Amino acid sequence: MQRHDWVESAGELFEAAMFGGDASALDRSDAVLDAVEAPFSMSRGKVLHVRFLNDREENSQELVLFERAAELYERLGDASGEADALFWIGCWHQVVKGDGVTGEPYFERSYALAKSVDDRMTMSYAIRHLGFADKDAGHFDRARERLTESVMLRREIGFRPGEAAGLVALAYLAAETGDPSAAFRHLDEAQSVAESCGAKAVSGWIEQARTLIRP
């Protein structure tokens, strides 16, 4: 059902309850409206997150929107949607607030929920940020395992820009752990992938990494 069909359906249910005396229509309209509001909240929250990445100005509504989406998806029984929302709640804490410890449980729950429904896209995001948390905590081997898993998941589903971004993360980790040759191999592969899919932003990250990582 298209989004406008959901809205039309909610209107029909309102009329059934208001004028037709069908009390059950109220409960059914709640589910329809939740199905409209949840992805809308997610989209609004993601836009605010990108704005934060661009200007580094925090907007607390981002967290409010993601928490609302998680609540709605849970109520709808949509595990994939809930997993996505939980990931973004974790991202708010880790990226916006710089608090990876608070974000980690959200990433773990997101990964588990996504795995239960084979949502490999969300799995790739959650495990990636768990890898970042491990790196920040000095658990480099586990960080490498998790970042590698993220790349493999993205490769499996054909998410080429995300695959390239994941390789950049592995390059930074390799450099941080004293293996610059591996870092540049990752960057070379990332560049090839990014060019193949026109991921210009990721290509910029790769060039920046080359200037920061020393042989």
Side-chain angles (χ1 to χ4, degrees):
M1 185 180 291
Q2 298 296 315
R3 193 69 44 80
H4 68 273
D5 293 332
W6 286 111
V7 176
E8 184 177 341
S9 178
E12 291 171 353
L13 288 166
F14 157 75
E15 291 191 2
M18 183 72 179
F19 303 113
D22 182 0
S24 69
L26 293 174
D27 292 334
R28 284 181 281 138
S29 67
D30 283 339
V32 169
L33 291 170
D34 286 350
V36 174
E37 184 183 351
F40 178 82
S41 295
M42 285 296 299
S43 295
R44 284 283 192 192
K46 289 178 181 180
V47 167
L48 290 179
H49 188 78
V50 175
R51 285 191 173 134
F52 167 79
L53 295 177
N54 288 340
D55 58 30
R56 295 292 161 174
E57 292 185 10
E58 178 184 321
N59 186 328
S60 61
Q61 276 300 113
E62 180 184 332
L63 178 61
V64 172
L65 288 162
F66 291 140
E67 288 180 335
R68 177 59 174 164
E71 175 190 349
L72 292 168
Y73 279 126
E74 181 180 20
R75 195 153 70 202
L76 289 164
D78 184 337
S80 184
E82 185 183 356
D84 190 26
L86 289 170
F87 163 75
W88 285 102
I89 293 171
C91 205
W92 158 268
H93 290 291
Q94 185 187 61
V95 177
V96 177
K97 304 299 289 184
D99 183 0
V101 173
T102 299
E104 195 166 353
Y106 291 101
F107 298 139
E108 290 171 345
R109 179 61 176 156
S110 170
Y111 181 84
L113 267 177
K115 188 173 184 179
S116 73
V117 291
D118 195 32
D119 178 356
R120 286 178 283 175
M121 177 68 84
T122 300
M123 287 170 64
S124 79
Y125 274 101
I127 201 69
R128 170 182 168 86
H129 282 257
L130 283 169
F132 292 153
D134 286 331
K135 182 174 76 69
D136 291 343
H139 302 144
F140 297 121
D141 288 342
R142 189 163 62 181
R144 187 177 298 105
E145 289 174 5
R146 284 174 158 172
L147 292 175
T148 300
E149 180 181 346
S150 178
V151 170
M152 294 302 296
L153 285 165
R154 291 173 172 191
R155 189 171 292 155
E156 288 171 4
I157 62 176
F159 180 28
R160 301 285 278 169
E163 179 186 345
L167 288 164
V168 175
L170 282 170
Y172 277 116
L173 179 61
E176 188 170 342
T177 54
D179 192 352
S181 62
F184 282 104
R185 286 197 301 273
H186 287 312
L187 291 177
D188 289 343
E189 185 179 1
Q191 186 170 352
S192 176
V193 174
E195 289 176 353
S196 74
C197 62
K200 293 181 179 179
V202 181
S203 293
W205 304 344
I206 295 165
E207 291 308 308
Q208 182 180 37
R210 290 190 188 280
T211 66
L212 295 174
I213 297 172
R214 300 301 178 188

